[in-house]
Amino acid sequence: MQFRVPILLFLLFFSVSSVMANGNYNVVLKQVSGEKHASLIEPSSYDPDLTCRDFLREFDDAAPDYFQYERCDVDDYGQTRSIEAIYKIEGKDAKQAQEYLTQKMGMTELKLVCCHWEMGGQNVTIINPKDNMYYYVVLVSEETIGHDWDKVTFYLIVSGDRSPV
């Protein structure tokens, strides 16, 4: 009897703490075209077979045309072996692009930091409904000291990993 109580307390503590630490990872809410969908499968943080493609259109096939797919960069030597799809946004469309990204992905407003516009340290992670994988989204400008967005080029970078951290 004297050993049962400590063992039961230990099991109770272990069970409660592991549930609290895990949060609610069984249900992941995905933002896709403004609708929330529940998935019972936890998203993957990497895919060793990930290839270059138009990630933005996979998240939202109706994404505006002012996101111009420019190129895909593949890092074969970094820790996570990332792939980045890079989209060019003309300055005249930057406000609309920021509003779209805020609505669809929860992105924060851009801030002028030193010599470019950036998200102010706020990272955005989204889940691609096509492959149930996490992707990182960043919006930045080219180097500038100006406040007139019409004269600045912006870039949306959507990246995924091919190796675990």
Side-chain angles (χ1 to χ4, degrees):
M1 176 70 176
Q2 66 187 22
F3 291 110
R4 252 187 226 172
V5 172
I7 290 174
L8 289 175
L9 288 174
F10 173 77
L11 289 174
L12 179 64
F13 174 76
F14 179 74
S15 298
V16 170
S17 63
S18 66
V19 169
M20 289 175 65
N22 286 334
N24 188 5
Y25 289 100
N26 292 332
V27 176
V28 177
L29 294 177
K30 296 185 265 182
Q31 187 75 22
V32 181
S33 302
E35 300 173 18
K36 291 188 177 184
H37 303 277
S39 171
L40 296 178
I41 301 171
E42 185 173 341
S44 175
S45 61
Y46 71 98
D47 177 0
D49 299 320
L50 188 64
T51 59
C52 285
R53 56 187 193 264
D54 190 345
F55 298 135
L56 179 63
R57 298 304 181 301
E58 288 183 4
F59 305 141
D60 181 3
D61 55 0
D65 291 336
Y66 46 75
F67 293 105
Q68 303 165 25
Y69 183 83
E70 186 169 87
R71 70 179 188 276
C72 182
D73 291 342
V74 178
D75 177 4
D76 285 325
Y77 303 103
Q79 182 178 4
T80 60
R81 298 178 48 236
S82 65
I83 291 183
E84 294 180 340
I86 300 171
Y87 302 83
K88 182 178 178 180
I89 303 152
E90 297 297 328
K92 65 183 176 63
D93 298 316
K95 286 285 185 201
Q96 285 180 293
Q98 179 177 297
E99 289 170 8
Y100 167 85
L101 294 168
T102 298
Q103 178 187 22
K104 296 289 183 179
M105 300 180 190
M107 189 171 285
T108 60
E109 287 192 25
L110 296 178
K111 298 175 184 174
L112 184 61
V113 178
C114 174
C115 29
H116 67 278
W117 289 91
E118 66 174 40
M119 296 168 22
Q122 300 294 323
N123 297 324
V124 174
T125 303
I126 59 175
I127 300 168
N128 185 341
K130 303 283 186 199
D131 61 10
N132 197 38
M133 192 172 114
Y134 289 113
Y135 287 81
Y136 311 100
V137 182
V138 176
L139 180 62
V140 296
S141 76
E142 65 186 356
E143 188 172 337
T144 184
I145 56 170
H147 290 269
D148 185 0
W149 283 19
D150 287 348
K151 298 176 182 175
V152 179
T153 303
F154 290 80
Y155 295 93
L156 177 69
I157 303 166
V158 181
S159 63
D161 293 334
R162 294 182 294 148
S163 291
V165 176

